[in-house]
Amino acid sequence: MPRLSEVISALDDLWPAGRAESWDAVGTVVGDPDQEVTRVLFAVDPVQDIVDEAVKLGAGLLVTHHPLYLRGTTTVAASTFKGRVVHTLIKNDIALHVAHTNADTADPGVSDALAGALGLRVVRPLVPDPADPEGRRGLGRVCELDAPLTVREFAARAAERLPATAQGIRVAGDPEAPVRTVAVSGGSGDSLFDHVRAAGVDAFLTADLRHHPVSEARAHSPLALLDAAHWATEWPWCELAAAQLDEISDRHGWDLRVHVSRTVTDPWTAHAASSRATDTSGAPN
């Protein structure tokens, strides 16, 4: 059985902390480097439900995409939500390791996993990492479909292939427009519109799209926009990351048991469709 330090070293090779954004908080949050690890659980969010799942599983290491503490804190008291997470982890000898923006830009990374889930062929990074001479790392991916679809059909594919959420897939643009090329970015992506337009793609699938950036993007071009739930666009990375660690475990003879959480941690729990009526005379200005 490997020690935690050995497993973390392997994870750092996959997602070096030095490639994270300066504002990010990645790496090991909790854990004894000398403890032995037999089971690892991958998840998007380090919330209590996921920690409880790790306890029930008997995991010695929890790897999440989102940080537990993205900003500074002055307490880990168990009376606080995040403090209770820390207490549960320590009491049960479970380490927590975070790979966030360093996993976003990795090769393969979060957007590669998203593209794979959608059946897209990756062509290149949307925002290349200038430090990568091979031009494979970077934020987002520019992709191609094997055969053209309409925006409506591509949205239906995304709704079918991504994990189910209350939000589903929202669309901005002509539902019948053809789609041959797509940009994807796991997580919040409306800061990337300039790069997406420069890529000349037909559609952009990401998450957390806001009213004004979408309105401006639509005014600039006929680009179709598909807005999925943040959690749903990043969950496929958990399966990719677990497969990567499985391969490392086999190569080193570690015999790790690697698991992916299927617990839905998207915060939205229900969706009520608007009326089909088109009369907006009573709507606010």
Side-chain angles (χ1 to χ4, degrees), residues 242-252:
Q244 289 177 286
L245 183 56
D246 258 333
E247 189 277 329
I248 293 170
S249 173
D250 289 346
R251 184 168 9 113
H252 290 285

Side-chain angles (χ1 to χ4, degrees), residues 1-220:
M1 291 183 289
R3 293 178 299 162
L4 175 65
S5 59
E6 295 175 283
V7 179
I8 295 301
S9 178
L11 299 183
D12 284 341
D13 286 341
L14 292 173
W15 317 298
R19 292 182 187 155
E21 296 290 337
S22 60
W23 51 263
D24 205 0
V26 301
T28 304
V29 181
V30 170
D32 178 353
D34 291 327
Q35 75 183 56
E36 291 184 335
V37 177
T38 59
R39 290 182 185 272
V40 181
L41 178 65
F42 283 85
V44 174
D45 296 299
V47 295
Q48 191 66 44
D49 284 350
I50 296 298
V51 174
D52 291 342
E53 182 178 348
V55 172
K56 185 176 181 180
L57 183 67
L61 172 61
L62 170 62
V63 181
T64 65
H65 183 51
H66 289 153
L68 178 63
Y69 289 107
L70 188 55
R71 297 173 179 83
T73 187
T74 58
T75 178
V76 291
S79 56
T80 65
F81 152 61
K82 293 185 178 183
R84 186 159 63 96
V85 166
V86 171
H87 277 252
T88 305
L89 290 168
I90 293 175
K91 284 182 177 179
N92 291 277
D93 293 323
I94 302 172
L96 171 63
H97 186 81
V98 174
H100 192 211
T101 54
N102 49 333
D104 286 333
T105 59
D107 170 37
V110 172
S111 292
D112 292 290
L114 174 58
L118 297 170
L120 302 173
R121 184 176 68 84
V122 172
V123 177
R124 63 184 185 275
L126 177 62
V127 186
D129 179 352
D132 177 19
E134 296 183 1
R136 297 179 60 87
R137 294 198 309 266
L139 190 61
R141 294 294 185 266
V142 175
C143 309
E144 293 179 345
L145 287 158
D146 288 338
L149 297 174
T150 65
V151 170
R152 187 190 308 278
E153 290 169 335
F154 182 58
R157 175 188 286 194
E160 177 185 0
R161 297 191 180 187
L162 293 181
T165 61
Q167 172 181 316
I169 308 295
R170 297 191 301 174
V171 175
D174 178 3
E176 304 309 321
V179 176
R180 299 175 182 84
T181 57
V182 181
V184 299
S185 180
S188 304
D190 61 16
S191 65
L192 302 176
F193 281 140
D194 288 344
H195 297 281
V196 173
R197 282 192 291 270
V201 294
D202 301 316
F204 178 37
L205 186 146
T206 187
D208 297 341
L209 292 180
R210 297 169 294 162
H211 174 91
H212 292 295
V214 168
S215 179
E216 292 174 10
R218 290 290 302 154
H220 275 95

